[in-house]
Amino acid sequence: MNKVIFDTDPGIDDAMALLFLARHPQIDLIGVTTVFGNAPIELTTRNALYLTEAWDIPAPVARGAGETFDPARGGSYWPTAIHGHNGIGDVAVPQAVARQADPRPAYQFIIDTVRANPNEVTLIAVGRMTNLALALKADPDIAGLVKQVIIMGGAFDVNGNVSPAAEANIHGDPEAADVVMTAAWPVVVIGLDVTMKTVMTSAFLANMVESGRSDVKLLSDISQLYIEFYKQRVGDGMVVHDSCAAVYLVRPDLFETRTGAIRVVCGGIADGQTIQKPDGRGFPPSAWDNLPSQTVATGIKPDSVLEVIRAALVEGIAG
């Protein structure tokens, strides 16, 4: 079993990844931590509590950061055209959710859970990297106790989606992302290079709904606004960004990767750009030296990834 803390900002594609992590038989979802991003922290936390309650997911939810790692950076916008005004497709959500958040802030929940399960926990982070950076700041030694970190974010050989240089999750808190990428823990980055190739059509989603599962029906309802947004970008369907990162945990063989140190540009016209220095390539001495080699996904088998998602969501089996 793969023990996972899911760091998320629900978010429509976050919802699919959450259900995948809860349903896959080889994954033990031991915690959900929230961060601002697709909506303000109050809404992303409420959405995580609502979804874990609606889908009977026992993992505790801890509320995380509502502002950037460096508070002086400031400024956030909410992508309501993509995720709706409530963050999950504007489906009806009760204002009050019975389930309560863990009393600890997300960064402390991460520290405590990792220390209680040394070298066993994978952090899957699909929003801003703020909680992970705060955990490292508070307890740098946890880097040596985390099994791996899988990130949905970044763009390396393709343009970003909020600027020509930057992808949204990284652009939302570049300083936090740079801290996470340069820490002494193994990081795998699943970015736009591969996620934009992984499109779930409306027919594929409708076929899953025909299984009769109420959790998949709710997921479909949440996803309709997302499908509408992507019509002008990928045609029929939606890009399943966050689920790609979740699938990597159990099926890394479906991805092509390369390794090397990663830095994040903080400021200027390339603010939030992710850049990898390839292993084995020589450069003059610089701020890139003596950094850990991290992994970037450069290729993907999208049809196989979609089948892994379907198998877990519909049948509860490993695809």
Side-chain angles (χ1 to χ4, degrees), residues 13-172:
D13 53 332
D14 307 68
M16 181 178 292
L18 173 64
L19 187 57
F20 175 85
L21 292 169
R23 291 276 292 153
H24 197 284
Q26 296 170 351
I27 296 171
D28 180 11
L29 182 61
I30 60 174
V32 177
T33 51
T34 63
V35 69
F36 74 107
N38 289 325
I41 187 62
E42 295 80 12
L43 286 183
T44 60
T45 304
R46 189 279 309 273
N47 292 345
L49 290 167
Y50 166 68
L51 291 171
T52 54
E53 182 178 86
W55 290 337
D56 196 25
I57 298 171
V61 174
R63 173 173 164 153
E67 63 179 13
T68 51
F69 182 65
D70 177 2
R73 170 173 279 271
S76 286
Y77 69 94
W78 315 120
T80 55
I82 307 173
H83 295 276
H85 294 279
N86 72 354
I88 48 174
D90 289 334
V91 299
V93 180
Q95 286 299 313
V97 179
R99 181 167 292 192
Q100 297 293 307
D102 189 278
R104 291 166 289 182
Y107 78 88
Q108 191 62 53
F109 178 88
I110 291 170
I111 291 169
D112 293 347
T113 306
V114 167
R115 286 198 166 277
N117 302 273
N119 304 307
E120 294 183 359
V121 177
T122 294
L123 306 178
I124 299 182
V126 298
R128 287 150 172 75
M129 304 294 122
T130 318
N131 291 331
L132 276 62
L134 289 170
L136 287 167
K137 181 180 179 181
D139 188 354
D141 291 342
I142 67 163
L145 301 174
V146 170
K147 184 176 181 180
Q148 67 176 331
V149 180
I150 304 174
I151 289 168
M152 189 281 121
F156 293 86
D157 300 334
V158 299
N159 288 126
N161 57 3
V162 294
S163 82
E167 178 275 333
N169 287 340
I170 307 301
H171 185 265

Side-chain angles (χ1 to χ4, degrees), residues 52 66 116 164 194 228 258:
T52 54
V194 296
E228 186 65 28
R258 69 172 184 241

Side-chain angles (χ1 to χ4, degrees), residues 76-287:
S76 286
Y77 69 94
W78 315 120
T80 55
I82 307 173
H83 295 276
H85 294 279
N86 72 354
I88 48 174
D90 289 334
V91 299
V93 180
Q95 286 299 313
V97 179
R99 181 167 292 192
Q100 297 293 307
D102 189 278
R104 291 166 289 182
Y107 78 88
Q108 191 62 53
F109 178 88
I110 291 170
I111 291 169
D112 293 347
T113 306
V114 167
R115 286 198 166 277
N117 302 273
N119 304 307
E120 294 183 359
V121 177
T122 294
L123 306 178
I124 299 182
V126 298
R128 287 150 172 75
M129 304 294 122
T130 318
N131 291 331
L132 276 62
L134 289 170
L136 287 167
K137 181 180 179 181
D139 188 354
D141 291 342
I142 67 163
L145 301 174
V146 170
K147 184 176 181 180
Q148 67 176 331
V149 180
I150 304 174
I151 289 168
M152 189 281 121
F156 293 86
D157 300 334
V158 299
N159 288 126
N161 57 3
V162 294
S163 82
E167 178 275 333
N169 287 340
I170 307 301
H171 185 265
D173 196 344
E175 286 79 12
D178 193 57
V179 168
V180 170
M181 301 291 191
T182 57
W185 53 15
V187 176
V188 180
V189 186
I190 309 296
L192 299 182
D193 303 71
V194 296
T195 65
M196 288 301 297
K197 299 173 182 175
T198 312
V199 178
M200 180 179 288
T201 66
S202 56
F204 191 101
L205 180 59
N207 181 263
M208 291 199 297
V209 172
E210 289 176 4
S211 67
R213 293 193 58 89
S214 60
D215 48 8
V216 177
K217 177 61 168 65
L218 175 57
L219 178 64
S220 176
D221 292 345
I222 289 170
S223 300
Q224 295 310 306
L225 182 68
Y226 205 53
I227 291 172
E228 186 65 28
F229 170 80
Y230 271 110
K231 277 184 178 178
Q232 303 303 318
R233 291 158 179 83
V234 300
D236 174 50
M238 58 181 174
V239 179
V240 290
H241 296 288
D242 295 347
S243 292
C244 289
V247 169
Y248 180 87
L249 174 66
V250 290
R251 290 296 306 272
D253 58 298
L254 300 180
F255 298 78
E256 297 173 12
T257 60
R258 69 172 184 241
T259 57
I262 300 172
R263 296 302 304 264
V264 179
V265 178
C266 299
I269 62 171
D271 195 30
Q273 183 177 16
T274 47
I275 304 173
Q276 185 176 45
K277 172 189 174 185
D279 283 338
R281 175 86 184 271
F283 293 91
S286 70

